[in-house]
Amino acid sequence: MRTNTNAAFWHVWSIKNILLVGTGGFFGTAARALTDMLEKAFPLQWLVVPWSTAVVNLFGAFLLGFIAGRAAKARAGRISSVFDRYYLLFGTGFMGAFTTFSSFALALTDLTQGPSLSGLVEGGAIVALGLTAAVSGLLCGERGLSWLIRVRD
């Protein structure tokens, strides 16, 4: 039997929410695989980190920031239940599968040579750009992008 102390736990772990995360994860994984296939077809030899990893993480940082900003705005406007579901689908599911820090970290090291200075510099630049993208996405999500994207408040 569920008690009031466990109500929040059971709300989060409902079958519907698990399916939302799983569905988002399925499509995020497929999008990541497609991006990696494009990188293999069109490699940039002068980069240490594969461009697909960099693009996925930068784009993902912006989108996750945007989704979090929209969810925060929705909570402030007391329409959070709809955006909580969107956050589970797109934020936790899709973006969790689409962006992976482990791929980024592994790409920074050449498995035969170890980490290089150029890899560390490139990695630092990607982290700095990722933070900038996340903050930009968060601000755009909170303030809305009615001039760019029609998102119903």
Side-chain angles (χ1 to χ4, degrees), residues 68-87:
R70 293 305 296 175
K73 185 174 182 180
R75 283 187 193 97
R78 303 200 190 281
I79 55 170
S80 65
S81 63
V82 172
F83 274 89
D84 285 345
R85 285 189 223 111
Y86 285 139
Y87 191 86

Side-chain angles (χ1 to χ4, degrees), residues 92-147:
T92 304
F94 185 87
M95 300 312 297
F98 186 60
T99 63
T100 55
F101 181 76
S102 57
S103 294
F104 171 66
L106 183 61
L108 286 176
T109 63
D110 181 333
L111 295 178
T112 60
Q113 309 249 345
S116 66
L117 179 61
S118 61
L120 294 174
V121 169
E122 195 173 306
I126 292 171
V127 168
L129 289 170
L131 290 171
T132 303
V135 170
S136 299
L138 187 62
L139 293 174
C140 289
E142 286 177 345
R143 296 183 181 162
L145 289 176
S146 58
W147 54 273

